[in-house]
Amino acid sequence: MENIAILELNESELKLSIYRTKSGRNMIIEQRSQSFKLGDEISAEELLLPKTKSDIVGVLKIYRKVIETYKVTQIIAYASKILQTARNYRGFIDEIYNNTGISFAILSNEEVIKYVYNATVGSIDNSKGYIINIGAYATNFIKYNRRTILAHQTIDFGSVNLLQDENGKNRSIDEMSNIMKSEISKLDIALESDTEISFVGTGKPFIAFGRIAKKIARYPLDLDNNYQVTKEVMKQTVDFIKGIDFDKIQKIKGIDENDASRITSGLAIINAFYDALDISEVTISSADVREGVVHSNVAVPSQEKFNDLLSNSIDNYYEFYKDENSINNQVYQMAIILFKQLKVMHKLPRFYVKPLRIASYLYDCGKKINYNNYTKLGFDAILYSGLTGVSHRELLIAAFTCLCQDLDNFSVSEWMKYKDILTDEDLDAVRKLGVIVKLAYALNASKKNIISDVVCDILGDSIIMKTIVEGDPTFEIMEGMKVAVDYKKVFKKSLQII
């Protein structure tokens, strides 16, 4: 197990992120940031002022101590291209190295595209489509298919340099949208007409846009990644921002100071893409350059990651929480067996396999908070686990399934919070899946993988579950029969395990 540090110096902040890595997996364990208005300063002076340089070096010395505390074995430091436009940037890079031993590389636009692409396709389960990445000083449009970049182009306007005209006056959203539409019309990347084609939005402006759009749409989940925004909600969001002043924008929950100043320009760019390309829906990805850098430096084979995003995501989560007694994979395997054997009874379509997979693999994740009532605590643990390759609906079903390992945990009032995402069929499903996960855990009670398979026979009002074993299954059968009461509540049949 090793720790790596990522240092990012961009137009608005200096950020430190520390990741723990193990067996090609990674988990963020520390993050710090300090605001610096480098973009504004360099645009105005074409220089980095002495105080700014001194302050940045001072913060880096502090970050260096944090890095040493975490016994970091690798430091990756990079700066946005805006730094290169300062006439004294080379001397500043040398000054940082001489004072801290940290060597910053300036990312080219090609590198930004590569890192954004790698991070994005690792966060959204779409085989082909277009990525719209809005940066501070440029917007990248990337076409991909089957995990390969087919083409990309860059528009030299981002959320910072689009905001004001040559006289320093702020442009209106409509003015900025028209400028961007004109630039988009010059793109020569061919658009395909295909139902599988999707549009993915990345970058801080999309994150801020999504957070406001969720409030407009009264969306009940506070999740940035994989949030889908229709054109109708986009227009409502633009109209909302047009109708309020900047002071009120700054007070919107979830929007930080740096993002607030660029809300109008970011929305103008987003609006222009929706209109110019006739987009009906954009999926927002929270992936960023930093995550792309991490993915490129932590050795998980790319094909493994992309073939099954959910599997890789679960394995990544599990890698840092398992211990020598963990049986999560065994519970998952048994849950899938039970799902297949009980298909005649539960009558659930294959759609529910993915939520079952999550809930059974992370059946005990609430124990990391408190063993008592861990199934209830597992609801939030799954919902905010950061798993990728899964929709918000599927994640919610998995969270409720974990909770329903104890049916007394279920609350109709809690369910109704998510009524616009979940269906009546989901309500029936989470109770059935919860009992299946509970039974799968019970059939692994000794943690020795004694029961390798089960075969179910339905006899009138009863179901006989025959176990195929490698050893003495007495403990497993005893624990499994404790689930019989819940089984009858949900499936309306008596359970007998032999």
Side-chain angles (χ1 to χ4, degrees):
M1 187 179 296
E2 295 182 341
N3 295 336
I4 66 172
I6 307 292
L7 285 161
E8 177 183 1
L9 179 61
N10 59 38
E11 72 286 343
S12 61
E13 65 182 344
L14 172 60
K15 181 183 290 186
L16 166 67
S17 304
I18 296 178
Y19 287 80
R20 179 156 294 155
T21 67
K22 182 182 178 183
S23 303
R25 311 294 177 182
N26 68 85
M27 177 179 70
I28 190 164
I29 57 174
E30 183 65 274
Q31 186 168 289
R32 291 285 184 267
S33 65
Q34 182 65 38
S35 294
F36 289 100
K37 297 186 180 299
L38 287 187
D40 294 343
E41 185 172 300
I42 293 172
S43 297
E45 307 289 341
E46 294 186 357
L47 285 171
L48 285 162
L49 300 180
K51 184 179 185 310
T52 301
K53 293 193 294 180
S54 175
D55 288 347
I56 290 174
V57 169
V59 172
L60 282 171
K61 287 179 178 178
I62 295 171
Y63 285 175
R64 184 82 207 209
K65 292 179 180 178
V66 176
I67 288 170
E68 291 169 358
T69 298
Y70 280 93
K71 297 181 173 59
V72 165
T73 57
Q74 182 183 10
I75 299 174
I76 302 169
Y78 60 89
S80 298
K81 196 175 179 181
I82 182 66
L83 188 67
Q84 216 168 20
T85 60
R87 296 197 304 272
N88 58 346
Y89 86 92
R90 292 186 184 276
F92 179 51
I93 295 293
D94 291 340
E95 184 180 344
I96 289 175
Y97 182 77
N98 293 336
N99 282 275
T100 67
I102 298 171
S103 180
F104 272 83
I106 295 179
L107 294 184
S108 67
N109 194 54
E110 290 290 329
E111 289 174 312
V112 169
I113 289 171
K114 179 187 75 172
Y115 289 137
V116 166
Y117 164 75
N118 285 338
T120 302
V121 297
S123 68
I124 301 292
D125 193 12
N126 290 328
S127 61
K128 58 183 177 180
Y130 302 87
I131 298 171
I132 304 166
N133 170 244
I134 304 175
Y137 293 89
T139 297
N140 294 306
F141 189 59
I142 306 165
K143 180 180 181 180
Y144 67 97
N145 186 2
R146 300 189 183 281
R147 312 302 179 183
T148 301
I149 295 178
L150 299 180
H152 62 82
Q153 285 184 262
T154 299
I155 296 173
D156 292 327
F157 282 111
S159 59
V160 172
N161 59 348
L162 179 64
L163 187 59
Q164 295 182 333
D165 61 21
E166 58 275 9
N167 298 316
K169 180 183 177 183
N170 281 5
R171 295 181 172 118
S172 69
I173 289 181
D174 290 338
E175 289 172 332
M176 291 185 285
S177 287
N178 288 333
I179 291 171
M180 283 301 297
K181 287 176 187 177
S182 175
E183 294 297 320
I184 294 169
S185 69
K186 300 173 187 176
L187 295 174
D188 57 14
I189 294 179
L191 291 179
E192 296 180 26
S193 177
D194 190 325
T195 55
E196 295 183 18
I197 292 293
S198 58
F199 289 87
V200 181
T202 69
K204 287 186 176 181
F206 267 109
I207 299 297
F209 161 59
R211 290 175 181 174
I212 298 172
K214 280 182 283 191
K215 296 180 189 300
I216 299 294
R218 298 185 182 278
Y219 194 70
L221 286 178
D222 186 20
L223 298 174
D224 293 326
N225 192 60
N226 215 8
Y227 177 56
Q228 298 171 328
V229 190
T230 64
K231 189 168 188 174
E232 179 184 6
V233 173
M234 184 278 296
K235 291 296 183 183
Q236 292 173 353
T237 305
V238 171
D239 290 342
F240 170 75
I241 292 298
K242 281 181 178 180
I244 62 175
D245 56 35
F246 180 69
D247 289 340
K248 290 184 178 179
I249 292 176
Q250 286 183 303
K251 294 177 182 178
I252 297 175
K253 186 177 179 181
I255 308 300
D256 66 31
E257 179 184 355
N258 292 325
D259 293 338
S261 62
R262 307 169 193 168
I263 287 293
T264 56
S265 53
L267 280 179
I269 296 171
I270 294 167
N271 179 71
F273 270 98
Y274 270 91
D275 286 351
L277 303 183
D278 194 24
I279 299 172
S280 60
E281 184 177 81
V282 170
T283 300
I284 295 176
S285 167
S286 60
D288 56 18
V289 170
R290 179 194 61 180
E291 291 179 26
V293 170
V294 173
H295 289 171
S296 299
N297 287 274
V298 178
V300 174
S302 296
Q303 202 58 41
E304 177 188 340
K305 290 191 295 184
F306 297 153
N307 281 345
D308 189 340
L309 290 183
L310 178 58
S311 179
N312 179 68
S313 186
I314 290 175
D315 288 346
N316 193 83
Y317 180 94
Y318 183 53
E319 185 67 41
F320 296 96
Y321 291 103
K322 66 182 179 182
D323 58 39
E324 65 274 13
N325 296 314
S326 295
I327 56 168
N328 300 63
N329 187 57
Q330 292 168 223
V331 174
Y332 158 65
Q333 295 292 344
M334 181 55 67
I336 296 300
I337 290 171
L338 292 171
F339 185 84
K340 293 176 180 177
Q341 285 291 321
L342 298 173
K343 185 171 180 61
V344 174
M345 299 190 65
H346 62 64
K347 297 182 176 66
L348 297 174
R350 186 167 177 77
F351 167 81
Y352 292 99
V353 171
K354 190 180 283 188
L356 176 62
R357 183 180 185 183
I358 298 168
S360 56
Y361 219 117
L362 304 184
Y363 77 96
D364 62 344
C365 58
K367 291 180 181 179
K368 308 304 176 184
I369 305 170
N370 191 317
Y371 188 93
N372 295 323
N373 209 7
Y374 70 87
T375 58
K376 189 173 184 179
L377 296 171
F379 180 88
D380 281 343
I382 288 177
L383 197 57
Y384 298 103
S385 59
L387 294 179
T388 59
V390 59
S391 70
H392 288 185
R393 179 188 168 201
E394 290 167 329
L395 203 55
L396 263 174
I397 294 169
F400 272 109
T401 296
C402 182
L403 180 145
C404 283
Q405 291 179 79
D406 182 347
L407 294 175
D408 290 339
N409 285 334
F410 184 82
S411 166
V412 174
S413 60
E414 184 69 19
W415 180 270
M416 291 304 293
K417 291 180 183 178
Y418 309 103
K419 60 182 176 61
D420 293 335
I421 301 175
L422 299 169
T423 68
D424 291 340
E425 185 180 32
D426 297 337
L427 177 58
D428 177 57
V430 295
R431 292 165 58 84
K432 291 177 178 177
L433 296 178
V435 172
I436 287 175
V437 173
K438 185 176 184 178
L439 185 56
Y441 175 43
L443 295 178
N444 282 281
S446 67
K447 301 191 174 184
K448 298 185 184 299
N449 204 23
I450 289 174
I451 299 178
S452 60
D453 202 351
V454 298
V455 178
C456 298
D457 293 329
I458 301 173
L459 300 174
D461 292 333
S462 299
I463 181 166
I464 309 298
M465 191 170 288
K466 301 175 183 177
T467 59
I468 299 172
V469 304
E470 298 176 9
D472 181 3
T474 303
F475 187 29
E476 279 76 7
I477 291 174
M478 180 178 70
E479 291 298 302
M481 286 306 299
K482 292 179 181 179
V483 186
V485 175
D486 286 347
Y487 188 93
K488 189 164 187 177
K489 283 182 184 177
V490 172
F491 290 99
K492 312 304 180 187
K493 288 186 181 292
S494 299
L495 173 65
Q496 184 65 42
I497 305 174
I498 58 175

